Amino acid sequence: MAKNAGDVILRDRMQFDLDAQGNRTTLYGRIDLSSYVNTVAREGLAIKQVYFQLRNSDLSGTGTGFPNTGCVAPVANAISASTTSCDFGALKVYATTRAYENANEVAIGSPDVLCVQEWISAVGPAATGGSADNGAALIVEKYWYGPEDLHPEGYTVVSDLLIGVAADTWDTEDNSTLELDIVLIAEPIKISTERMNAILSQAQDL
């Protein structure tokens, strides 16, 4: 979706750590939208698009890292000819106005969720007698459900936006501090009294 004349582009960045096993329990960053939302004046923001980019510029960690580009390793576990079982990893990033306790509760049907992005990695053993780069099974999937899919007219928010992250055994980036860049394309809008009351009533029920 192209940026329209009345749209604004908002940028933010958050950091989060992976532990020695590449795990990250659910963590939130907050995007301050107070310059665009005001419940008294019935001003809100219709978020039309969200973009995420993961980066690893932390060269002090023990993860793989790409020092020249800062890219994150696309495969969660090391490829080894001695591996005899499958290794799996997952990363999840999402935008929401509700702070879910655990990312495993968050999906495209969850209330107050604008978008969800998931990276799933599977590394299988090399063929018998093979080497690390000869016959290993690799599957990397990336799933994206954006506001243009879930809310084509834009998801209306009247408060700050939360960005949630979590990871399971993304071992190639273990002990690293990852950075997540976020870009929002949104339209400042006026909200009817009835719609504002409905939004505030829903928030009080959380």
Side-chain angles (χ1 to χ4, degrees):
M1 180 185 296
K3 178 179 178 296
N4 296 321
D7 291 346
V8 295
I9 298 178
L10 306 176
R11 295 177 172 85
D12 211 331
R13 177 176 294 166
M14 67 179 290
Q15 293 183 333
F16 60 97
D17 296 328
L18 299 184
D19 67 15
Q21 287 73 46
N23 296 317
R24 167 70 262 174
T25 56
T26 304
L27 178 72
Y28 287 97
R30 181 181 297 273
I31 298 180
D32 182 5
L33 300 179
S34 59
S35 298
Y36 300 95
V37 299
N38 186 315
T39 55
V40 176
R42 295 188 291 108
E43 296 172 345
L45 205 58
I47 299 178
K48 300 177 180 179
Q49 288 183 298
V50 182
Y51 297 97
F52 295 127
Q53 183 184 13
L54 277 171
R55 298 184 301 111
N56 182 3
S57 57
D58 177 18
L59 302 183
S60 64
T62 57
T64 302
F66 292 91
N68 293 326
T69 61
C71 292
V72 171
V75 179
N77 300 95
I79 304 168
S80 172
S82 62
T83 299
T84 58
S85 62
C86 290
D87 293 317
F88 301 96
L91 275 165
K92 178 183 278 187
V93 180
Y94 54 96
T96 178
T97 56
R98 179 188 302 214
Y100 288 86
E101 185 174 355
N102 293 305
N104 61 19
E105 302 172 353
V106 176
I108 59 175
S110 303
D112 306 314
V113 171
L114 284 69
C115 61
V116 180
Q117 186 158 352
E118 296 175 333
W119 293 263
I120 310 293
S121 167
V123 177
T128 302
S131 63
D133 56 357
N134 181 19
L138 300 175
I139 299 176
V140 179
E141 298 281 1
K142 181 179 179 181
Y143 301 98
W144 167 248
Y145 309 97
E148 62 270 30
D149 302 312
L150 307 178
H151 310 280
E153 300 302 318
Y155 187 97
T156 301
V157 298
V158 295
S159 62
D160 291 345
L161 189 63
L162 299 175
I163 305 298
V165 298
D168 286 307
T169 60
W170 207 272
D171 192 53
T172 48
E173 299 293 351
D174 61 6
N175 285 322
S176 294
T177 299
L178 301 186
E179 291 187 338
L180 178 68
D181 280 33
I182 306 116
V183 173
L184 309 178
I185 296 180
E187 178 184 4
I189 59 172
K190 275 286 189 179
I191 304 174
S192 69
T193 301
E194 293 77 14
R195 174 62 175 149
M196 179 64 76
N197 289 340
I199 294 173
L200 295 178
S201 176
Q202 181 179 3
Q204 292 172 357
D205 293 336
L206 300 183

